[in-house]
Amino acid sequence: NEVRRANGGGVSMRGQSGSAQPSGHVVLRHVVAERNRVVLADDEEALQLSSAGGAVDIADVLSVELFTCSFSENLVMANGSAVAARGGALHVRAIDVVLTGSFFYRNFVWVGRANRFALEVGGGAAYIQAQRLLVERCVLSYNRVVVDAIDLVLPNLEGGALRLIGSHATATSEVPGGGGTAGSMSLVVRRCTFLVNWVNLSTRVLQSTSSSGGAIYVSAVTRGEASISIAHCNFVQNLALADTLARGGGVMVVPDRHTAVEVRRCTFTSNAALSFGASAAGGAIVLEESVAEDTPDAPTTAPIVLTNCTFLVNIASSLRGDASAGALCLVDSTGLERTILVSDALFVSNAALAGVGVLGKLGSGGAIGYLLSSEAGTSSNLTMWDLELHRCVFARNEA
């Protein structure tokens, strides 16, 4: 059997895969990409089908810069026995990436009915893997990741607009976390607007883990100094919708213990995590600590800070299961000590609503909720995170 791929409906540029020293600089300035698509048809004989970058696919290079570009109605569509579908408009894998002043409207990643297994699906507008990334002054609206498949086994559905991966791994690795380069890792998203982006998991999916990050799903695999920053951004009416677990209607952040996280001067309005089944968490944002295989066991000192943020009318709701954290959900997957600081924040009319009329279902944390994941184990040595709230206002929240 063979591996088949379809990349870059408009433009595809790839360096030498697996190179320890990627080279080459790619610059796109004032580029307009409309109604391009990558379509990967059903193929019973293919071992793996992979599609990426409905308009532009750039991989295995040193740096990529995009200035004042426009991406509208581009599509990655995938059918097959096993699928990875990434980046409805843009797919980038490089060491350094800068994306500024650009517009993403109605781009789609769509997984169709012929699928039975999906390896990775995410990034309705863009899927970017980098060691250093800046996304600035961009508008992303009405982008979608949609799965409409019967009897599909799907691990995760991630990032209605952006799926961002940060690592010290060389960007030429097909699998995040492989290889390694020196220097710090940083992912920065600032002064951007995210409006009505969705991750939408069909109720006909046979088995799935989660639908996460209606606007952004960002994760980090690090081997040294690392940071994730989201600042001066607006998140409005973004949605994570699932038949099982829905998490992070606006944002899902998954750092490891070495990664400092800052969310500063952001506004979250009318975002939602909605589940028809098991549970929903974090109508506005979820922060979930992960442990990479190559990460030492010692607890991190990297801080998680949310400051000067506003949370208005966000909701986490499960029709037949539990719901936690209408606005901000903290998920501890390690059972190791960490401090979370929330300061100068406003929480108004957020809600965590559990299954209506279903006995034993729990709604908790109308504004903020803390969950200790089963992945942390059951040891008596587990330590809960320390949560500090400074100068915050809570009004008319509900659970």
Side-chain angles (χ1 to χ4, degrees):
N1 293 326
E2 62 179 336
V3 177
R4 300 185 183 180
R5 294 183 173 90
N7 300 309
V11 176
S12 182
M13 181 175 179
R14 293 195 161 218
Q16 182 180 356
S17 180
S19 172
Q21 298 294 331
S23 60
H25 305 272
V26 180
V27 178
L28 278 68
R29 191 183 299 271
H30 307 303
V31 171
V32 176
E34 294 184 358
R35 298 187 179 182
N36 303 283
R37 64 179 185 171
V38 169
V39 179
L40 200 57
D42 186 26
D43 188 339
E44 294 287 347
E45 297 182 357
L47 176 64
Q48 178 180 338
L49 302 175
S50 175
S51 54
V56 175
D57 167 62
I58 304 170
D60 308 325
V61 299
L62 182 61
S63 68
V64 177
E65 298 177 77
L66 296 95
F67 300 100
T68 57
C69 296
S70 175
F71 298 87
S72 300
E73 299 183 342
N74 300 286
L75 169 68
V76 166
M77 183 172 70
N79 291 312
S81 55
V83 171
R86 309 175 180 126
L90 176 67
H91 174 254
V92 175
R93 189 167 67 243
I95 298 297
D96 294 288
V97 179
V98 176
L99 173 60
T100 63
S102 295
F103 177 65
F104 294 82
Y105 174 72
R106 287 184 60 83
N107 301 286
F108 282 77
V109 171
W110 184 81
V111 176
R113 299 182 181 183
N115 283 286
R116 286 165 296 284
F117 299 94
L119 303 178
E120 184 179 15
V121 180
Y127 183 108
I128 303 174
Q129 179 184 343
Q131 182 170 323
R132 291 172 291 271
L133 168 67
L134 171 62
V135 180
E136 185 174 30
R137 298 185 185 276
C138 294
V139 176
L140 302 97
S141 59
Y142 294 90
N143 301 285
R144 301 281 192 274
V145 175
V146 178
V147 173
D148 184 19
I150 300 173
D151 296 338
L152 171 68
V153 177
L154 176 68
N156 291 292
L157 191 66
E158 300 168 342
L162 296 180
R163 175 65 173 101
L164 308 178
I165 299 174
S167 78
H168 288 88
T170 176
T172 59
S173 172
E174 185 69 27
V175 179
T181 58
S184 63
M185 188 282 294
S186 66
L187 302 180
V188 179
V189 180
R190 66 188 181 207
R191 302 189 186 280
C192 294
T193 297
F194 298 85
L195 175 66
V196 197
N197 302 285
W198 289 10
V199 280
N200 183 1
L201 194 59
S202 167
T203 57
R204 294 178 293 177
V205 171
L206 176 66
Q207 179 181 336
S208 64
T209 300
S210 66
S211 178
S212 305
I216 304 176
Y217 188 110
V218 54
S219 60
V221 179
T222 67
R223 293 175 181 159
E225 182 180 352
S227 63
I228 295 172
S229 176
I230 302 173
H232 298 276
C233 292
N234 293 316
F235 298 88
V236 181
Q237 295 182 8
N238 301 286
L239 172 66
L241 177 66
D243 64 327
T244 50
L245 175 59
R247 304 184 298 172
V251 178
M252 180 85 182
V253 182
V254 187
D256 66 12
R257 297 193 302 272
H258 297 293
T259 303
V261 178
E262 180 188 46
V263 182
R264 177 168 49 89
R265 295 192 180 277
C266 292
T267 300
F268 298 84
T269 306
S270 300
N271 303 282
L274 304 179
S275 171
F276 294 106
S279 65
I285 182 171
V286 171
L287 294 169
E288 178 177 2
E289 186 175 73
S290 70
V291 180
E293 292 182 0
D294 59 345
T295 302
D297 292 334
T300 185
T301 57
I304 295 179
V305 177
L306 288 87
T307 183
N308 294 103
C309 292
T310 300
F311 299 85
L312 304 173
V313 201
N314 302 284
I315 184 171
S317 178
S318 178
L319 184 63
R320 296 186 296 273
D322 297 333
S324 178
L328 167 63
C329 186
L330 307 172
V331 182
D332 181 358
S333 298
T334 65
L336 297 172
E337 184 177 356
R338 192 162 191 172
T339 299
I340 316 299
L341 172 62
V342 181
S343 66
D344 301 288
L346 176 65
F347 297 85
V348 177
S349 298
N350 304 285
L353 304 177
V356 178
V358 180
L359 294 177
K361 302 305 176 183
L362 176 66
S364 60
I368 300 176
Y370 171 88
L371 300 175
L372 185 62
S373 171
S374 60
E375 296 180 11
T378 58
S379 170
S380 59
N381 294 325
L382 295 181
T383 303
M384 289 184 63
W385 288 353
D386 296 325
L387 174 62
E388 297 184 13
L389 302 177
H390 297 176
R391 301 177 301 276
C392 294
V393 175
F394 297 84
R396 299 191 298 276
N397 300 287
E398 178 183 357

